[in-house]
Amino acid sequence: MKKVAIIGSGIAGLASAVRLAVKGYAVEVFEANSYTGGKLTEIILENKYRFDTGPSLFTMPHFVDELFTLAGENPKDYFNYQKLDVFTHYFYEDGTRLKAFADKNLFANEVEEKLNEPKENILKFIQYSERIYKITNRVFMHNSLHKLKTYLHFDTLKSIAQLHKIDSFRTMHNANKSFFKNPKTVQLFDRYATYNGSNPYLTPATLNIIPHLEYGIGAFYPKGGMHEISQQITALAKRLGVTFHLNSKVEEIVIDENTVKGIKVNKTFLPFDKVVSNMDLVHTYRKLLPHVAHPEKLLSQPKSTSALIFYWGISKSFSELGLHNILFSDDYEKEFNALKNGVSIDNDPTIYINITSKFTPSDAPDGHENWFVMINVPANKGQDWDKLITEARENVINKISRILNIDLKSFIVCEDILDPRKIESRTSSYQGALYGNSSNNKFAAFLRHPNFSKKLKNLYFCGGSVHPGGGIPLCLLSAKITSDLISD
Ligand code: FAD
């Protein structure tokens, strides 16, 4: 049996472990932390409030199911999830509130009623989003963009012939302005750029593919919370014989004559036939491969946004809030300009509140809720985070209090905070970026590192910092592409 080492147990590292074990490789996962899952983990405060610390929105669950099916298991025996009827509860400063129903028609009626936006505009937009998905899905997401055989496939050629239809020559914001008459509707759809840490005023309208993931395929909630995703894939990998080495930081990828020979952990050389790095690309090169030439152009691409998150135990429950809630800023462009400049955080940030106790009541005591309160912030470039966090905390509390007409401070019973510095130190993500490179330019898909090394034999890459990108579904696809490339 050929031996594969996987560096990191993020979602893509775990999925690669499953896929390679199914293919018959002897797989060992080396994880720097004492737990698996990377960004997809949990914390418990005061033994009472449980929080998923990272991802909160679950789309494309069939990519998780597929891992169980490949292993000959029934996913439903281990991992279950429910489809959401309402994706998001939206709140605007002027008191407008609306619900994004999963049912397209209900949603279109709601937007027409609350925003005076003609229903047909919404339905036309959702169709357009689906069209972009259908053209780009096969080419950009399921295959390596860096292998000739991808381009020789009939489906790929068909998609390439239609690439002029994917709206890559204008920004998402400009496209959305052309669809909708109410700026609030434009803002609602511009927000989808943040699903991969991008800026709607810069990113190509191709990213209007994202609403289709919700309105066409659905958004889901895993039974027991997001943490179940990483825990159940870890358990599946163990059942397949994968060995996990926790608290085992890889220090070097050992190379001889441009061929990977193994890794170094605790200064000890461990031989492997193949190595898959799920560690952030920039740190893989800079820390584990200091003696080889680095692909500087790819490494220096601008990074996606990071996040500032307050985990609050709240001593009250709020019927007007759901699982996912957005409190919009009044001036979205100003907010994104601050993110682009990267120095400060706008004093009126859009606030996202995720409350899993709405679906998993045991996540908070009776009559209480577990609030995951997040704002987008720039990637970490050494800003004075302590000062920025103190200011942002005040602005966030004031805004929520204003919009919900409450004194929020009096309900916060416990707190933990995650900021870009901690995201970087806990998961080794360069600058604490959530999704690797940003997608703020139309060539971004081609400026992501391939899932293999062109220079070093037997070295592969998976995870949010390489092709096809960040977010759980794309990370799961990167694992698929990577393991498909490993064949001998
Ligand atoms: P990561 O999760 O980055 O994990 C990498 C692992 O490698 C870590 O465990 C790290 O410890 C380990 N490692 C690094 N270096 C070494 C080394 N030298 N030796 C050993 N181990 C090492 N996505 C969504 O789909 N929906 C969302 O709602 C969403 N929201 C998010 C909110 C937040 C706050 C964050 C942080 C992310 C969010 N994301 C979301 C993005 C998603 O979490 C990531 O894209 C995805 O989890 C990244 O997985 P990954 O496989 O790249 O690995």
Side-chain angles (χ1 to χ4, degrees):
M1 261 170 130
K2 289 216 164 157
K3 286 177 65 184
V4 181
I6 298 183
I7 304 171
S9 68
I11 183 80
L14 293 172
S16 301
V18 167
R19 286 178 175 278
L20 291 168
V22 167
K23 282 179 91 165
Y25 290 92
V27 182
E28 297 185 36
V29 177
F30 294 82
E31 169 53 56
N33 289 322
S34 59
Y35 54 87
T36 62
K39 297 185 179 79
L40 198 47
T41 186
E42 69 174 5
I43 53 162
I44 296 173
L45 297 186
E46 297 192 340
N47 261 328
K48 287 190 280 203
Y49 301 89
R50 192 201 70 87
F51 300 86
D52 290 311
T53 50
S56 54
L57 176 69
F58 186 36
T59 54
M60 317 282 266
H62 52 282
F63 293 144
V64 176
D65 289 345
E66 191 179 296
L67 299 172
F68 291 87
T69 316
L70 276 175
E73 295 189 355
N74 178 359
K76 296 290 162 256
D77 291 342
Y78 300 96
F79 179 65
N80 288 283
Y81 46 85
Q82 69 184 91
K83 194 166 182 181
L84 303 182
D85 295 331
V86 175
F87 297 146
T88 309
H89 295 240
Y90 287 102
F91 298 80
Y92 296 84
E93 274 286 348
D94 67 357
T96 307
R97 295 177 175 193
L98 70 88
K99 285 186 195 171
F101 293 101
D103 180 305
K104 292 189 255 281
N105 284 304
L106 280 183
F107 174 55
N109 286 339
E110 171 88 347
V111 180
E112 185 165 80
E113 187 192 323
K114 302 284 171 57
L115 303 183
N116 198 22
E117 181 75 50
K119 185 177 170 177
E120 310 76 66
N121 292 354
I122 302 293
L123 296 174
K124 250 191 346 213
F125 184 87
I126 292 174
Q127 267 177 9
Y128 146 87
S129 175
E130 180 179 4
R131 200 164 58 238
I132 300 177
Y133 174 83
K134 284 192 169 148
I135 298 171
T136 53
N137 177 35
R138 280 278 142 206
V139 186
F140 289 105
M141 295 178 213
H142 287 257
N143 299 295
S144 171
L145 287 183
H146 309 87
K147 290 281 181 190
L148 181 63
K149 76 171 193 214
T150 299
Y151 298 92
L152 300 178
H153 203 275
F154 177 69
D155 280 351
T156 318
L157 292 175
K158 208 168 109 193
S159 294
I160 288 172
Q162 298 185 76
L163 279 181
H164 60 284
K165 295 184 188 159
I166 65 171
D167 212 356
S168 60
F169 291 103
R170 55 181 175 169
T171 65
M172 175 187 263
H173 178 70
N174 282 339
N176 294 350
K177 267 197 321 192
S178 76
F179 271 95
F180 305 115
K181 66 173 206 174
N182 187 336
K184 286 194 176 75
T185 327
V186 175
Q187 187 174 23
L188 191 153
F189 282 99
D190 277 359
R191 185 179 80 90
Y192 284 95
T194 66
Y195 279 33
N196 76 353
S198 301
N199 178 330
Y201 301 91
L202 300 174
T203 202
T206 310
L207 275 204
N208 275 330
I209 184 179
I210 299 174
H212 174 70
L213 303 186
E214 288 190 343
Y215 290 99
I217 301 170
F220 301 81
Y221 178 75
K223 190 166 177 222
M226 298 295 284
H227 186 232
E228 276 298 296
I229 304 173
S230 54
Q231 292 322 287
Q232 290 305 334
I233 303 177
T234 303
L236 169 62
K238 285 182 181 165
R239 290 198 292 281
L240 291 168
V242 173
T243 309
F244 283 86
H245 305 270
L246 300 179
N247 301 305
S248 300
K249 188 173 190 163
V250 175
E251 292 146 357
E252 190 182 331
I253 296 172
V254 179
I255 311 287
D256 186 29
E257 293 186 353
N258 292 333
T259 303
V260 166
K261 296 293 175 186
I263 55 176
K264 244 186 217 169
V265 182
N266 284 328
K267 301 197 168 60
T268 307
F269 170 68
L270 303 171
F272 282 94
D273 299 298
K274 316 221 172 247
V275 170
V276 177
S277 180
N278 175 221
M279 184 187 189
D280 179 278
L281 180 78
V282 177
H283 285 315
T284 299
Y285 275 102
R286 302 260 191 257
K287 294 187 177 168
L288 308 189
L289 292 165
H291 306 303
V292 305
H294 294 176
E296 292 301 338
K297 188 169 176 210
L298 299 190
L299 300 191
S300 62
Q301 289 305 305
K303 300 300 160 220
S304 81
T305 48
S306 186
L308 171 60
I309 300 153
F310 302 99
Y311 306 97
W312 285 329
I314 297 283
S315 62
K316 183 173 159 47
S317 88
F318 291 83
S319 58
E320 63 270 56
L321 297 176
L323 176 66
H324 302 292
N325 309 277
I326 286 289
L327 280 55
F328 271 127
S329 62
D330 231 8
D331 188 340
Y332 218 32
E333 190 158 10
K334 177 165 138 298
E335 183 184 353
F336 279 94
N337 280 338
L339 279 170
K340 188 169 74 180
N341 294 338
V343 184
S344 57
I345 301 172
D346 190 57
N347 57 12
D348 177 29
T350 293
I351 300 169
Y352 166 67
I353 308 176
N354 173 245
I355 311 173
T356 60
S357 59
K358 298 279 185 198
F359 278 69
T360 308
S362 58
D363 282 353
D366 274 357
H368 290 219
E369 290 181 338
N370 63 338
W371 282 24
F372 162 117
V373 179
M374 175 173 133
I375 60 172
N376 297 312
V377 298
N380 179 26
K381 292 187 179 158
Q383 298 91 327
D384 183 351
W385 286 110
D386 292 336
K387 179 168 169 281
L388 292 177
I389 291 168
T390 308
E391 289 165 3
R393 187 178 184 280
E394 216 41 39
N395 289 331
V396 166
I397 288 177
N398 289 341
K399 185 175 173 84
I400 298 175
S401 298
R402 194 166 63 237
I403 290 187
L404 297 184
N405 200 14
I406 53 167
D407 172 19
L408 179 61
K409 253 186 199 153
S410 65
F411 299 120
I412 301 175
V413 291
C414 55
E415 174 178 78
D416 198 358
I417 299 176
L418 185 67
D419 65 55
R421 296 168 301 188
K422 283 192 198 161
I423 295 172
E424 181 160 22
S425 65
R426 284 183 192 168
T427 62
S428 208
S429 301
Y430 184 61
Q431 295 180 348
L434 304 192
Y435 302 94
N437 291 349
S438 79
S439 298
N440 287 335
N441 96 47
K442 56 176 169 291
F443 303 110
F446 299 95
L447 291 168
R448 284 186 177 271
H449 196 283
N451 302 87
F452 61 97
S453 168
K454 289 182 180 165
K455 300 250 168 74
L456 302 170
K457 198 163 176 266
N458 297 331
L459 178 60
Y460 299 85
F461 301 87
C462 66
S465 63
V466 297
H467 177 72
I472 295 171
L474 294 188
C475 286
L476 289 169
L477 286 175
S478 82
K480 178 175 183 294
I481 297 169
T482 303
S483 51
D484 285 351
L485 290 170
I486 299 177
S487 57
D488 56 330

